[in-house]
Amino acid sequence: MFIQGDLQAVFNALYSIGAIDPVLRMDWEKINLDMNKNPLLVKQACSQVNACRGNQTLLVQTLNSFEPKLLNFVALEVAREFSEFQDRKELH
């Protein structure tokens, strides 16, 4: 499951609630393993984020309702998708 729409809006919402800095200090491999063990949680979190359709207020409200583990999943997914976007952009 991917985050659809404006990744920057999701990143900004994550940043505004203080979810980015803690994830930067974590072991991403551990978060990734946890994501692989919980694909339904990842799908649920991405679906809820996608339902916000880039609305910053709604994104912040939705993300604030997530438990910390789900916030980590979303933050890592945003990082992964930004990275993949950059890779595709550099290939062209």
Side-chain angles (χ1 to χ4, degrees):
M1 182 79 184
F2 293 103
I3 295 174
Q4 300 169 349
D6 188 351
L7 282 177
Q8 188 64 52
V10 180
F11 176 86
N12 291 345
L14 286 163
Y15 185 81
S16 75
I17 65 169
I20 295 296
D21 287 337
V23 171
L24 291 176
R25 291 188 290 270
M26 292 179 177
D27 180 352
W28 287 20
E29 188 173 329
K30 184 176 182 229
I31 299 170
N32 192 52
L33 287 172
D34 201 12
M35 288 174 76
N36 289 334
K37 290 178 186 176
N38 296 285
L40 293 177
L41 285 177
V42 174
K43 184 177 180 179
Q44 173 191 4
C46 289
S47 292
Q48 289 180 309
V49 166
N50 290 341
C52 296
R53 300 193 185 277
N55 179 309
Q56 197 69 29
T57 303
L58 192 53
L59 278 166
V60 168
Q61 289 173 348
T62 300
L63 293 171
N64 272 325
S65 73
F66 286 179
E67 63 181 67
K69 178 165 126 170
L70 284 182
L71 282 176
N72 296 343
F73 290 176
V74 172
L76 189 58
E77 186 59 29
V78 167
R80 183 185 347 259
E81 291 185 30
F82 266 132
S83 175
E84 290 171 1
F85 174 77
Q86 278 304 118
D87 285 347
R88 285 192 307 268
K89 189 174 157 187
E90 290 176 10
L91 288 174
H92 295 285

